[in-house]
Amino acid sequence: MALSFSCSASISPQHQAKVNFKSNKGLEDVRNLIKTVGVPSITCSPVKSLQNGNWVKLICGASFEDVVDIRNLSLVYTLAGVDCIDCAADVSVVNAVNEGIDAAIEILPLRRPWVMISVNDDEDLHFRKAEFDPEDCPLDCSKPCERVCPADAISLEAQNSTTQLSFDTNASGAFKGGVLTERCYGCGRCIPVCPYDKIRVTSYIREAATTSELLKRNDVDAVEIHTTGRQIAPFKELWDGLADSIKYLRLAAVSLPDIGEATVSSMKDMYSVMEPDLCCFNLWQLDGRPMSGDIGRGATRESIAFALRLAAIKDRPHGFLQLAGGTNAHTVDGLKKVGLFQTTSFHRNSRDEILTGTSSSVHAIIGGVAYGGYARKIVGRILSNMQSQHGIASMEDYPDHLLLALREALSIVGTAKSFPISNSS
């Protein structure tokens, strides 16, 4: 169901008119901010960030496929110093992420973040799209779906034309628009608010063969498998389908929810499937409250509680732990309050020692945090403002907007990286 878009074509007028990054004075404030905050000196290799407990991942969204926004988000968050950018397993989306990273590095030479693609082994909330026929919506509908959508993925406008309905009667006027498929990432908030129960959901599973080919690209560094953790058979089937491409990767991640007492045993089962083919680092993404970080402060509590419970279990399978699902500006403070932020413990794994070339076995219990909805929201407001003024554009062409977006990105990345954010305003 993944759609295909050409990132370059989508922003052709502005993107083809390349900015001279080195001479453009409008970008000097951007460079100065990055240097003042200390992004180049504070950031280190992604692996070192995981070991230190200050890894930050941007989640573009496993189903979010708006390549223009993805490119600009990748540009901004690369400049802000993220360690990894997670995106849909789609060629045009991966291209957009790498375009954004390249544009950032042209502005200022920085460490390149890893690019991760997300797949699923079965039906999953992150791999679905809302859909409905706008002509079925009554014209007096207050359109709550449009208001509640965090991705601006629903657009409904009344059209003043006579519409032929399926039951052979004419109605004066109807809605046009509906769900912008490339922007919908499956949060589902529109479904319960529809007063006429018109919204449906279509789920899909990424094909293992297509994903395997993507993983062989030299600009893809990691894979993340989303699973319910309740059945090992679909996980094994997907892993076996990807096994030949795992050797090309730096990181293999598994995203799973808290399923109570069965969580660790499920993790052990999955690790036993993965281990024979693992020649890279592995990570467990603790998905607390999926796709909710933009809702408010309390959304992060479930991810912290999940981390706290797993951190106390000594016989959990090997791998870095990373929070997701409800993460926002309050997550790091929450980790500090429960004593898990950059708290270290002794770990020993021969594969990791070979990969790092060191025998050091002390690293952070919690490797870091992934930010999705919240990270997209705070920068997305500025992207929307830029597009309303200038149309579809590359953000580096409008340095004033880029500077505002970068400040927002630093405000969230800096909570984990300990950037002196007060100096950035």
Side-chain angles (χ1 to χ4, degrees):
M1 181 174 171
L3 305 180
S4 294
F5 303 92
S6 168
C7 182
S8 296
S10 300
I11 55 176
S12 55
Q14 294 85 356
H15 185 61
Q16 289 175 3
K18 289 283 188 179
V19 175
N20 186 331
F21 291 104
K22 293 183 179 178
S23 63
N24 191 313
K25 292 182 180 179
L27 292 171
E28 279 305 309
D29 287 342
V30 172
R31 297 189 187 96
N32 290 337
L33 173 59
I34 296 168
K35 293 173 183 177
T36 299
V37 170
V39 175
S41 60
I42 294 175
T43 53
C44 53
S45 73
V47 172
K48 194 67 176 175
S49 294
L50 282 167
Q51 294 172 331
N52 292 342
N54 64 356
W55 155 280
V56 177
K57 182 176 81 171
L58 167 67
I59 302 175
C60 289
S63 293
F64 188 67
E65 296 166 315
D66 184 325
V67 293
V68 177
D69 269 16
I70 288 168
R71 180 198 181 277
N72 285 325
L73 284 166
S74 299
L75 160 67
V76 172
Y77 278 97
T78 296
L79 292 174
V82 297
D83 298 282
C84 183
I85 300 176
D86 182 5
C87 67
D90 177 87
V91 171
S92 59
V93 171
V94 172
N95 290 343
V97 170
N98 279 291
E99 273 195 34
I101 293 172
D102 290 340
I105 292 173
E106 282 194 66
I107 292 171
L108 191 69
L110 293 166
R111 184 264 292 130
R112 191 179 188 88
W114 286 350
V115 175
M116 172 185 284
I117 59 175
S118 280
V119 294
N120 53 323
D121 66 358
D122 206 343
E123 286 195 11
D124 185 280
L125 295 176
H126 302 84
F127 297 82
R128 62 181 189 171
K129 300 278 189 180
E131 59 181 33
F132 64 91
D133 184 349
E135 294 190 1
D136 287 344
C137 301
L139 280 173
D140 61 352
C141 181
S142 61
K143 303 185 288 186
C145 59
E146 191 178 62
R147 295 195 305 272
V148 79
C149 179
D152 295 325
I154 297 178
S155 177
L156 287 171
E157 296 179 9
Q159 55 182 351
N160 297 318
S161 62
T162 299
T163 303
Q164 184 73 28
L165 300 179
S166 59
F167 45 86
D168 253 357
T169 59
N170 290 331
S172 179
F175 279 120
K176 63 178 180 178
V179 178
L180 307 174
T181 305
E182 70 274 14
R183 292 195 62 83
C184 177
Y185 59 82
C187 73
R189 296 180 205 175
C190 58
I191 300 169
V193 301
C194 177
Y196 302 101
D197 198 25
K198 298 287 187 182
I199 302 176
R200 306 174 299 277
V201 170
T202 299
S203 299
Y204 61 94
I205 299 175
R206 299 282 186 188
E207 292 184 359
T210 304
T211 302
S212 184
E213 289 305 307
L214 268 177
L215 294 178
K216 294 175 184 177
R217 290 176 45 153
N218 60 10
D219 56 2
V220 174
D221 305 283
V223 68
E224 182 166 272
I225 297 174
H226 288 251
T227 182
T228 64
R230 298 183 184 278
Q231 297 184 69
I232 193 64
F235 181 87
K236 185 178 188 305
E237 181 180 355
L238 175 57
W239 181 264
D240 290 345
L242 301 177
D244 289 343
S245 57
I246 299 300
K247 62 187 175 184
Y248 296 95
L249 302 180
R250 301 170 187 259
L251 181 71
V254 175
S255 179
L256 74 163
D258 188 349
I259 54 174
E261 293 182 0
T263 302
V264 172
S265 62
S266 176
M267 290 169 66
K268 288 179 179 179
D269 289 342
M270 288 186 282
Y271 188 74
S272 68
V273 170
M274 297 164 61
E275 189 172 22
D277 303 303
L278 273 179
C279 50
C280 59
F281 298 99
N282 76 292
L283 178 148
W284 304 98
Q285 176 167 284
L286 313 182
D287 198 8
R289 183 178 174 181
M291 297 179 284
S292 65
D294 61 302
I295 292 175
R297 183 187 189 101
T300 195
R301 290 173 186 155
E302 290 182 39
S303 62
I304 293 171
F306 193 2
L308 190 61
R309 197 172 67 78
L310 267 191
I313 300 174
K314 302 303 180 185
D315 65 339
R316 65 181 184 273
H318 180 74
F320 295 106
L321 300 179
Q322 173 224 277
L323 274 65
T327 51
N328 53 37
H330 307 286
T331 302
V332 169
D333 282 344
L335 285 173
K336 289 177 179 178
K337 287 178 181 177
V338 298
L340 282 181
F341 183 63
Q342 295 185 353
T343 302
T344 59
S345 67
F346 181 85
H347 298 265
R348 193 72 185 266
N349 182 272
S350 58
R351 186 184 70 253
D352 284 5
E353 290 178 4
I354 293 171
L355 289 169
T356 58
T358 175
S359 59
S360 174
S361 51
V362 175
H363 62 71
I365 298 172
I366 304 299
V369 182
Y371 299 99
Y374 182 81
R376 295 193 299 270
K377 178 181 179 179
I378 60 176
V379 170
R381 290 182 295 225
I382 299 163
L383 286 175
S384 296
N385 182 261
M386 179 187 74
Q387 290 174 4
S388 68
Q389 294 181 42
H390 307 290
I392 295 173
S394 300
M395 202 166 214
E396 65 272 24
D397 293 344
Y398 298 95
D400 289 347
H401 288 91
L402 177 56
L403 185 63
L404 291 172
L406 178 59
R407 283 178 173 150
E408 292 289 351
L410 286 169
S411 73
I412 187 66
V413 177
T415 60
K417 296 290 187 184
S418 300
F419 294 149
I421 303 303
S422 58
N423 293 338
S424 67
S425 55

